[in-house]
Amino acid sequence: QVQLVESGGGLVQAGGSLRLSCAASGRTSSSNTMGWFRQGPGKEREFVAAIRLSAGRTYYADSVKGRFTISRDNDKNTVYLQMNNLKPEDTAVYYCAAAKAVLLLHRLRATSEYDSWGQGTQVTVSS
């Protein structure tokens, strides 16, 4: 089992930046794909970004492409989400997730493909 703890959320003005961190502990060697998801008020949880830990290949939702960057530090068992040029519509609780599988492209966006989840961190963007 992998435990995930997110941090770095907060309140920021539109156009600002935040960096989220996701620290993994436990059987971290069993994870091959890490993802970030978010859930806005009254909305379903949606895919934001993912990274394959061995190769470092990254994937993004169209809504954040060019503004968000996912990265990992394998030595620290930590995944990051750098968020730039934030918009009010980015307001949500952001969740980190880990999957044992090396998820193929069509599975990256599905919450059901991930085995472990963090508790979430709130990001609020004011206009």
Side-chain angles (χ1 to χ4, degrees):
Q1 187 73 11
V2 176
Q3 292 79 45
L4 304 172
V5 178
E6 303 97 333
S7 61
L11 173 64
V12 64
Q13 287 188 333
S17 299
L18 283 174
R19 188 177 81 155
L20 306 183
S21 299
C22 173
S25 60
R27 298 189 63 183
T28 56
S29 60
S30 65
S31 298
N32 287 286
T33 306
M34 298 290 291
W36 284 98
F37 290 75
R38 66 186 182 186
Q39 188 164 13
K43 298 181 179 179
E44 293 188 354
R45 194 168 298 189
E46 64 175 2
F47 171 79
V48 175
I51 186 168
R52 291 184 183 157
L53 294 179
S54 59
R57 188 163 182 177
T58 58
Y59 306 85
Y60 298 94
D62 289 343
S63 59
V64 306
K65 201 171 294 183
R67 299 189 298 123
F68 291 11
T69 303
I70 187 171
S71 62
R72 92 286 196 208
D73 185 331
N74 288 340
D75 291 338
K76 294 183 178 179
N77 291 325
T78 300
V79 173
Y80 304 97
L81 185 68
Q82 177 66 45
M83 306 185 295
N84 297 329
N85 191 21
L86 283 160
K87 304 176 181 180
E89 51 263 42
D90 294 318
T91 294
V93 177
Y94 283 70
Y95 297 90
C96 176
K100 296 177 183 177
V102 178
L103 296 177
L104 298 178
L105 184 58
H106 66 288
R107 296 186 182 275
L108 283 169
R109 291 170 169 78
T111 57
S112 59
E113 296 293 335
Y114 293 81
D115 307 292
S116 302
W117 291 84
Q119 82 289 348
T121 185
Q122 176 71 47
V123 171
T124 303
V125 185
S126 63
S127 57

